[in-house]
Amino acid sequence: QQRQRQPQQHAQYVLQHEALSALACLLQSCASQVSQHEQAALMALLLSVLQAYSDARAAALPTSTPAASSFSSSNRSSNGIGNSSSSDSSRAPPCLSPQLHADLMESATLALQALSCWLSRPGGASGITPEGFATAQACVLSTLQRCCIGHGRVVEDGPHSRLYALLLRVLGALIPEAKQAWLPHTATLVECCTKFFLYGVQPVPPPPPSSTP
């Protein structure tokens, strides 16, 4: 039954991916014409998709890791993101198949792509309040933190590289919009960013010892 459910879940995520791509096109072309109420609803939707992936990452972290509790489900509920059925980061890791994990990461990447398209337009997110930007910043920074902290080196491959780049791009766009809300998180942001200074640079193995006659 579990094996039968996985292809159905993948098909559902394929449709979600197409919907997120369509939203990105919409927000890039005519976001300023969307009402303030609809902009707030779109922001909450995109953040909930990102949070689903963040929760999956947090579930794999030890509960003592700061990233596992930095954006708890109680904070999400108070900010209108997620619901009581969301998986809490302190629970045991769910049994995710590689395909389901890949689908969750692709959904998060496309949600970030939509946010990037939206925020890159001057005045495109004019309907979002400073509090809304602060909430978005907390969610994006928490996801970046969970990707960087507690796992040693960040994952170096194409899909993860795309995800990391969009996390940093969206976070950079959110910081000025969120005004002073980023100040308490400066140390976390710096710690995460330093993980990428040597991204893609593999350590050079030492030369073999020379054989003496």
Side-chain angles (χ1 to χ4, degrees):
Q1 186 177 3
Q2 182 70 19
R3 292 181 179 179
Q4 293 176 353
R5 191 182 307 141
Q6 288 181 2
Q8 295 176 354
Q9 289 177 333
H10 177 61
Q12 292 171 356
Y13 277 105
V14 168
L15 292 176
Q16 185 182 92
H17 298 163
E18 293 296 333
L20 288 167
S21 297
L23 276 179
C25 294
L26 171 69
L27 292 171
Q28 187 173 30
S29 60
C30 55
S32 59
Q33 302 176 26
V34 179
S35 69
Q36 181 176 357
H37 175 74
E38 290 172 334
Q39 285 193 32
L42 284 171
M43 179 68 79
L45 173 64
L46 294 174
L47 293 181
S48 68
V49 173
L50 181 61
Q51 192 63 49
Y53 174 72
S54 184
D55 285 344
R57 290 303 302 257
L61 293 174
T63 55
S64 59
T65 304
S69 57
S70 60
F71 194 66
S72 63
S73 57
S74 59
N75 288 335
R76 296 198 303 275
S77 298
S78 64
N79 288 309
I81 301 174
N83 51 49
S84 58
S85 63
S86 299
S87 60
D88 187 83
S89 59
S90 63
R91 295 179 184 172
C95 296
L96 294 179
S97 67
Q99 182 62 63
L100 182 54
H101 181 269
D103 286 334
L104 283 169
M105 185 168 67
E106 180 65 13
S107 292
T109 301
L110 291 172
L112 288 165
Q113 181 66 49
L115 285 170
S116 178
C117 293
W118 188 2
L119 298 171
S120 64
R121 289 182 55 85
S126 58
I128 304 300
T129 63
E131 293 77 13
F133 281 120
T135 299
Q137 178 196 278
C139 180
V140 176
L141 180 58
S142 175
T143 305
L144 180 65
Q145 186 181 10
R146 287 167 174 173
C147 289
C148 293
I149 298 177
H151 290 280
R153 292 177 62 89
V154 290
V155 182
E156 297 183 3
D157 61 23
H160 282 88
S161 175
R162 182 169 166 237
L163 175 72
Y164 299 150
L166 283 167
L167 280 168
L168 293 169
R169 187 181 308 164
V170 171
L171 193 58
L174 286 170
I175 286 175
E177 299 290 352
K179 307 302 181 185
Q180 303 298 317
W182 64 273
L183 290 175
H185 309 291
T186 303
T188 300
L189 178 60
V190 171
E191 183 180 1
C192 290
C193 287
T194 55
K195 295 278 188 176
F196 299 102
F197 287 170
L198 297 177
Y199 188 83
V201 180
Q202 298 295 333
V204 179
S210 57
S211 58
T212 56

